[in-house]
Amino acid sequence: MTARKIIIDTDPGQDDAVAILLALASPEEIDVLGITAVAGNVPLPLTQKNARIVCELAGKTDVPVYAGCDAPLNRKLVTAEHVHGKTGLDGPTLPDPQMPLTEGHAVDFIIDTLRGHDAGTVTLCPLGPLTNIATAFQKAPDIVEKVQEIVLMGGAYFEVGNITPAAEFNIYVDPEAADIVFKSGAPIVVMPLDVTHKALVTKPRNDAFRALGTEPGIAVAEMTDFFERFDKEKYGSAGAPLHDPCVTAYLIKPELFTGRHINVEVETGSELTLGMTVADWWRVTDRAPNAMFMGDLDADGFFNLLTERLARL
């Protein structure tokens, strides 16, 4: 079985960092063609820097990292320092990256990569707002049919919102971009809060990361130590949810996840529910299904995979 070629589009974020580490630790299943940074959890100068920090933490300095869009398509940027800290990777003390940012714009890299590969051989893995992906689709509509799959973290239905009462952060930051992507016709797999809130880093799970004794294992434990304070206080949960690693875990072991192929629409007009992912879970409309919307995961299997792969770095 050949490794699946992917582009990780990201706004690191501690959980983004863990998702990237999992991908870079799994070369048999995943071939990371490049990482594209977008503004989201923190502004673009920090997300592109953080992506390079994570590559160096993994010892994978040959992965090209591109800077992308620094603001949503037509809204002001909303960030999440209240969750991730001022750097986006608060928790561990990590050195500034030595590897350079790759020249060129992330959107052009996405377009050129899809055009340069056979149709159905490159998967897009957005872990943040969908600005880069939507911009690429608008600039080069011909690439949409070349996408093998879009596997993204974003949205919610039964878990409703985490940035507003109705909306999940990634979709809320750029709902117009999300609307473009969901209407694109590309095959989509969605990891919503309904799934990611079940991927809780309990104390025993975090102790297992720390017990690896490696720089990546300890850094992941320290990242989780930092951002779990927010989720424990907000949700009263036993730990912090690892949202974004669900994307890369799905690429490695899809059997960990279950969901339904349904219609998902993004609200772009309402002040009250802006950014809501209206998921027709019960199939009560005649709108055509456009996404595999995940609803559950095997949490123990997920953390076993994550710990085993982090041990490789």
Side-chain angles (χ1 to χ4, degrees):
M1 180 177 167
T2 56
R4 187 162 177 176
K5 298 179 188 299
I6 72 167
I7 296 172
I8 299 175
D9 187 69
T10 180
D11 61 338
Q14 291 92 347
D15 58 320
D16 304 70
V18 181
I20 295 166
L21 291 172
L22 177 57
L24 295 177
S26 306
E28 296 89 353
E29 294 92 356
I30 296 174
D31 177 9
V32 181
L33 301 178
I35 296 174
T36 51
V38 68
N41 285 321
V42 287
L44 183 67
L46 287 172
T47 62
Q48 56 92 347
K49 177 183 177 182
N50 290 349
R52 291 181 288 140
I53 288 172
V54 175
C55 288
E56 293 192 353
L57 180 62
K60 308 287 186 182
T61 56
D62 56 339
V63 178
V65 177
Y66 294 84
C69 298
D70 62 1
L73 294 182
N74 52 21
R75 295 180 185 272
K76 286 187 175 179
L77 178 65
V78 175
T79 54
E81 286 90 350
H82 63 290
V83 179
H84 298 281
K86 66 183 187 301
T87 69
L89 291 182
D90 280 21
T93 301
L94 297 170
D96 285 345
Q98 299 302 304
M99 63 182 282
L101 193 65
T102 306
E103 286 188 21
H105 196 283
V107 168
D108 294 324
F109 170 71
I110 292 168
I111 293 169
D112 293 343
T113 302
L114 284 165
R115 284 178 173 168
H117 285 78
D118 291 339
T121 62
V122 176
T123 294
L124 302 179
C125 298
L127 310 178
L130 289 160
T131 315
N132 284 342
I133 309 299
T135 303
F137 284 3
Q138 285 186 311
K139 187 174 179 181
D142 59 287
I143 67 173
V144 175
E145 63 183 22
K146 300 200 74 173
V147 174
Q148 180 178 358
E149 201 167 43
I150 299 170
V151 184
L152 67 90
M153 189 278 135
Y157 187 61
F158 296 102
E159 283 284 313
V160 293
N162 65 353
I163 187 68
T164 74
E168 179 275 330
F169 176 81
N170 286 344
I171 306 298
Y172 178 78
V173 169
D174 199 343
E176 285 77 17
D179 186 50
I180 288 166
V181 171
F182 275 90
K183 287 178 177 173
S184 69
I188 298 174
V189 176
V190 184
M191 296 292 167
L193 298 182
D194 306 272
V195 163
T196 67
H197 278 179
K198 296 170 183 172
L200 290 177
V201 187
T202 58
K203 186 177 185 303
R205 289 167 175 166
N206 213 34
D207 287 347
F209 296 150
R210 189 174 278 106
L212 294 174
T214 60
E215 190 180 3
I218 293 167
V220 168
E222 291 177 345
M223 288 181 203
T224 307
D225 284 339
F226 177 83
F227 82 96
E228 75 173 3
R229 91 229 176 275
F230 175 81
D231 292 286
K232 281 184 169 180
E233 182 179 337
K234 181 176 180 178
Y235 298 110
S237 58
L242 279 180
H243 305 285
D244 295 329
C246 289
V247 169
T248 35
Y250 172 80
L251 298 177
I252 300 165
K253 292 190 79 170
E255 63 270 21
L256 294 173
F257 300 87
T258 55
R260 291 186 183 182
H261 192 229
I262 59 170
N263 180 268
V264 180
E265 301 280 331
V266 179
E267 178 58 60
T268 59
S270 166
E271 293 259 337
L272 186 65
T273 57
L274 182 68
M276 182 177 185
T277 45
V278 182
D280 187 8
W281 185 258
W282 304 114
R283 302 187 179 106
V284 295
T285 74
D286 58 1
R287 294 196 287 268
N290 63 346
M292 175 60 78
F293 199 82
M294 293 302 178
D296 204 358
L297 89 159
D298 171 359
D300 287 338
F302 171 83
F303 280 97
N304 289 340
L305 173 67
L306 188 50
T307 307
E308 181 254 313
R309 295 305 167 93
L310 288 176
R312 297 178 173 188
L313 295 174

